[in-house]
């Protein structure tokens, strides 16, 4: 009982804590109420653990010693935005759950210019009258893809829905059974088809679809032929499918629009970086596809958007569809997309300047260098004997439903713990002030250097130090 009382006495008073210079600094940076609440909560926690004897005496003293730090962490957490930055240690480059493609500073300069000023968003500067929101991107998309015309909507799901609704409402759309895909977040081709008012006419089987399957299904009810890129899975083994190039013959014979949902929308040949070939938008247009749709924030490396390219006569129909108004892109997206597409005009620098492409093409040498830097900074800063870290070979993934079979060799920092559970460390890293998302596999924690940028290495080292401390029990 005596001991308990003494421990209570060791806890400083709220007013005392408020006099601390770090706490004063904190109050300058955020609402005072948040700081005071955080102090109260930390003190309450301490009192509770003394009362309930949930911590050892030395652990409690430890916590009292680091009380200022604990208050800072708690207050910063309370004051942080709900939607906030995280560090991607997963090695999945286009990770839909954590924001897909990153936008570079250079591109953001343009977004900022448009955001803080008025712009000619829907204003024709030459004629001094109302203009068209889609016109700004048309020329550059046409130049890069070789298509006749282009328009942009909110995302690729909207693009597919708009295309089907505009070109095939009430008509049958022929699709291979091997291409009835589901993309995460409930995008399913049969459901999108139903929403659009088009009628799904699936042909062939899961693993094999032939030219005659398509041809036999064509009748007077047919509105279009649809090819869907199976971006997030592959059917291997005894398979066959009909390429868009081959479908071109049918399209001509029966005078039907040929539509292709490409998904990732890559604009450069990825085999240059040793990656598997992913059909480019330019190839689809060359193969005679009438309408191609793809995402802005997958392999293209821009903002969330759905890009539609192809025949002008069809795009004109889409522009008149009321859905276009509902799916319209905002000015931030347009400015980010225009600036991203501009980078594609210079082939020699595009890979360096678009973060998604830069990460995907990063050499093992560069990755090894980053891994050593992180390794050194962890070993220097972290005082914890209960862990082991190593630089190991591993594999990154493209993600975003792109190149599902591709495993890109990479370098990881692998952390193993002797006593604590690795799951607790993974959780602690997620709770760090800049959350660090990592991968756990067979009792080891992996931080893939491919998706961690140079300027983030110190944050990761600090995060690990926080995580190890937390495991030691001095931060709760
Ligand atoms: C990703 C993807 C979509 C959905 O695109 P969003 O931009 O996420 O709406 C549709 N079709 C395919 C084939 C895809 O890969």
């Amino acid at each position: 009982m005596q001991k308990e009382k003494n421990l209570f006495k060791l806890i400083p008073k709220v007013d005392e804590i408020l006099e601390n210079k770090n706490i004063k600094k904190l109050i300058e940076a955020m609402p005072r109420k948040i700081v005071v609440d955080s102090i109260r909560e930390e003190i309450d926690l301490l009192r509770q653990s003394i009362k309930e004897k949930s911590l050892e005496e030395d652990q409690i003293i430890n916590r009292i010693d680091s009380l200022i730090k604990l208050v800072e962490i708690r207050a910063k957490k309370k004051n942080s935005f709900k939607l906030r930055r995280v560090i991607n240690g997963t090695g999945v480059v286009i990770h839909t759950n954590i924001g897909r493609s990153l936008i570079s500073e250079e591109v953001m300069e343009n977004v900022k210019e448009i955001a803080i000023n008025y712009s000619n968003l829907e204003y024709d500067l030459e004629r001094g009258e109302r203009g068209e929101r889609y016109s700004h991107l048309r020329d550059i998309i046409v130049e890069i893809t070789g298509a006749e015309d282009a328009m942009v909507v909110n995302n690729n799901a909207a693009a597919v829905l708009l295309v089907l609704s505009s070109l095939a409402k009430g008509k049958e759309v022929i699709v291979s059974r091997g291409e009835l895909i589901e993309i995460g977040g409930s995008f399913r081709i049969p459901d999108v088809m139903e929403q659009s008012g088009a009628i799904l006419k699936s042909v062939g089987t899961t693993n094999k679809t032939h030219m005659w399957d398509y041809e036999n299904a064509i009748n007077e009810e047919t509105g279009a032929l649809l090819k869907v890129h199976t971006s997030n899975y592959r059917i291997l083994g005894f398979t066959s499918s009909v390429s868009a190039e081959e479908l071109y013959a049918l399209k001509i014979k029966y005078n039907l629009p040929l539509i292709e949902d490409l998904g990732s929308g890559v604009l450069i040949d990825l085999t240059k970086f040793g990656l598997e070939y992913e059909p480019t938008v330019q190839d689809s247009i060359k193969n005679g596809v009438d309408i191609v749709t793809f995402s802005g924030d997958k392999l293209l490396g821009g903002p969330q958007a759905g890009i539609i390219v192809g025949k002008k006569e069809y795009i004109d129909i889409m522009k008149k569809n009321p859905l276009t108004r509902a799916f319209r892109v905002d000015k931030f997206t347009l400015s980010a997309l225009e600036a991203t597409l501009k980078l594609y005009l210079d082939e020699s620098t595009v890979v360096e300047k678009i973060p998604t492409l830069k990460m995907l093409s990063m050499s093992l040498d560069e990755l090894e260098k980053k891994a050593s830097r992180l390794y050194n900074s962890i070993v220097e800063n972290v005082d914890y004997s209960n862990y082991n870290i190593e630089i190991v070979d591993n594999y990154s993934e493209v993600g975003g439903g792109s190149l599902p079979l591709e495993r890109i060799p990479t370098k990881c920092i692998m952390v193993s713990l002797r006593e604590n559970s690795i799951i607790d460390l993974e959780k602690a890293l997620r709770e760090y002030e800049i959350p660090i998302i990592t991968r756990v596999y067979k009792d080891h924690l992996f931080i893939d250097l491919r998706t961690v940028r140079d300027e983030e290495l110190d944050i990761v080292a600090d995060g690990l130090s926080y995580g190890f401390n937390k495991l030691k029990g001095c931060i709760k």
Side-chain angles (χ1 to χ4, degrees):
M1 206 52 190
Q2 192 52 43
K3 216 171 170 189
E4 212 177 85
K5 248 193 207 139
N6 289 341
L7 280 176
F8 278 126
K9 272 197 200 139
L10 283 177
I11 304 177
K13 303 263 174 314
V14 177
D15 288 342
E16 285 166 34
I17 298 175
L18 282 169
E19 285 306 309
N20 178 286
K21 73 175 194 318
N22 287 347
I23 296 294
K24 280 185 166 164
K25 242 191 238 157
L26 208 58
I27 292 174
E28 275 169 30
M30 63 179 77
R32 182 186 165 90
K33 182 175 182 323
I34 289 182
V35 181
V36 175
D37 286 353
S38 304
I39 297 173
R40 294 231 159 87
E41 285 167 22
E42 279 302 331
I43 290 179
D44 283 350
L45 261 181
L46 267 170
R47 289 179 169 279
Q48 211 178 327
S49 34
I50 297 170
K51 214 171 3 186
E52 291 168 3
K53 299 191 167 56
S54 56
L55 290 177
E56 298 293 326
E57 188 180 330
D58 58 340
Q59 284 177 314
I60 286 170
I61 290 171
N62 212 336
R63 279 191 77 106
I64 293 174
D65 286 346
S66 42
L67 194 56
I68 298 295
K69 189 81 210 144
L70 290 170
V71 168
E72 279 180 301
I73 292 169
R74 183 177 287 270
K76 278 185 187 156
K77 201 164 179 180
K78 263 188 202 290
N79 192 46
S80 68
F81 285 101
K82 297 294 176 209
L83 174 61
R84 58 210 179 104
R85 118 173 236 205
V86 304
I87 289 178
N88 180 3
T90 65
V92 180
V93 177
I94 308 169
H95 197 311
T96 297
N97 301 150
I98 54 179
R100 286 197 184 161
S101 284
L102 304 187
I103 305 293
S104 67
E105 299 269 355
E106 187 181 339
V107 167
M108 279 319 284
E109 295 268 311
N110 189 44
V111 179
K112 184 176 170 195
E113 169 87 2
I114 296 304
I116 67 174
N117 295 292
Y118 286 110
S119 63
N120 62 339
L121 179 64
E122 283 189 359
Y123 188 79
D124 186 326
L125 288 172
E126 249 168 62
R127 294 193 287 169
E129 58 189 44
R130 187 174 189 212
E132 220 194 61
R133 164 182 306 250
Y134 306 102
S135 63
H136 310 293
L137 287 175
R138 189 201 158 272
D139 291 351
I140 194 164
I141 298 176
V142 163
E143 180 176 348
I144 294 170
T145 61
E148 233 177 72
D149 201 0
M151 69 183 282
V152 181
V153 291
N154 235 319
N155 52 35
N156 188 32
V160 176
L161 185 51
L162 175 64
V163 170
L164 293 172
S165 151
S166 306
L167 305 186
K169 199 172 193 149
K171 298 259 187 80
E172 290 179 357
V173 174
I174 305 177
V175 194
S176 158
R177 288 204 169 85
E179 295 173 9
L180 297 178
I181 57 159
E182 170 177 322
I183 306 285
S186 72
F187 175 93
R188 291 173 142 197
I189 288 291
D191 299 344
V192 174
M193 192 79 76
E194 195 177 321
Q195 274 300 319
S196 74
I199 301 151
L200 173 68
K201 179 91 179 180
S202 49
V203 297
T205 60
T206 305
N207 58 330
K208 284 205 168 205
T209 303
H210 304 280
M211 194 67 163
W212 71 77
D213 288 319
Y214 284 93
E215 186 152 18
N216 288 345
I218 295 176
N219 58 40
E220 51 291 5
E221 297 305 316
T222 308
L225 304 171
L226 173 67
K227 258 314 270 182
V228 184
H229 185 49
T230 55
S231 29
N232 58 357
Y233 74 101
R234 290 280 186 277
I235 295 173
L236 302 175
F238 187 59
T239 68
S240 81
S241 62
V242 183
S243 67
E245 208 172 349
E246 294 167 279
L247 283 178
Y248 181 74
L250 275 191
K251 162 209 134 57
I252 293 292
K253 187 166 167 193
Y254 296 94
N255 190 27
L256 290 166
L258 174 57
I259 303 164
E260 184 165 27
D261 172 14
L262 262 190
S264 1
V266 63
L267 296 173
I268 53 174
D269 182 2
L270 291 180
T271 57
K272 283 184 201 155
F273 319 130
L275 294 178
E276 194 189 325
Y277 173 75
E278 173 85 5
T280 63
V281 179
Q282 292 92 324
D283 288 344
S284 292
I285 294 296
K286 253 187 237 140
N287 290 338
V289 177
D290 295 305
I291 289 291
V292 183
T293 72
F294 53 99
S295 288
D297 55 355
K298 289 185 181 169
L299 285 168
L300 193 150
Q304 177 191 305
I307 303 170
I308 306 172
V309 298
K311 292 268 158 60
K312 182 168 185 311
E313 59 178 299
Y314 295 129
I315 290 188
D316 282 343
I317 301 172
M318 292 172 212
K319 283 185 181 161
K320 294 196 193 96
N321 189 323
L323 282 178
T324 296
R325 176 62 177 80
F327 294 160
R328 86 176 187 189
V329 267
D330 69 337
K331 57 188 176 180
F332 308 128
T333 303
L334 285 173
S335 56
L337 189 56
E338 186 181 8
T340 304
L341 288 168
K342 265 189 101 149
L343 297 173
Y344 278 92
L345 297 179
D346 187 348
E347 258 196 47
S348 63
T349 51
V350 59
V351 172
E352 185 58 29
K353 288 190 167 177
I354 294 187
T356 297
L357 299 179
K358 187 177 172 174
M359 286 179 197
L360 286 173
S361 60
M362 193 162 285
S363 71
L364 276 175
D365 254 9
E366 280 174 88
L367 290 161
E368 172 87 50
K369 272 190 205 123
K370 280 208 277 185
S372 322
R373 265 190 58 197
L374 180 55
Y375 179 91
N376 291 334
S377 120
I378 298 169
V379 207
E380 272 165 31
N381 293 324
V382 174
D383 162 38
Y384 189 47
S385 51
N386 192 20
Y387 71 92
N388 183 49
I389 65 165
E390 282 174 67
I391 299 174
V392 296
D393 291 321
N394 209 285
Y395 294 96
S396 314
E397 281 173 49
V398 180
S402 312
L403 304 176
L405 304 185
E406 193 80 53
R407 281 152 54 89
I408 318 169
T410 191
K411 296 284 174 184
C412 284
I413 291 285
M414 181 177 88
V415 186
S416 324
L417 301 174
R418 288 193 195 96
E419 281 164 20
N420 298 89
S421 151
I422 202 76
I423 301 292
D424 290 339
L425 181 60
E426 187 269 341
K427 184 162 177 278
L429 292 175
R430 270 190 280 125
E431 288 166 359
Y432 187 55
E433 46 181 275
I434 299 181
I436 303 165
I437 316 296
T438 56
R439 206 152 35 89
V440 168
Y441 182 70
K442 288 191 176 164
D443 290 334
H444 304 290
L445 180 133
F446 293 86
I447 301 168
D448 190 328
L449 276 301
R450 185 179 296 280
T451 44
V452 180
R453 283 166 297 148
D454 286 333
E455 59 271 30
E456 294 176 325
L457 294 175
D458 289 343
I459 304 173
V460 174
D462 288 348
L464 272 172
S465 156
Y466 165 85
F468 289 140
N469 274 330
K470 190 161 176 179
L471 294 185
K472 265 202 297 191
C474 56
I475 304 174
K476 255 266 161 64

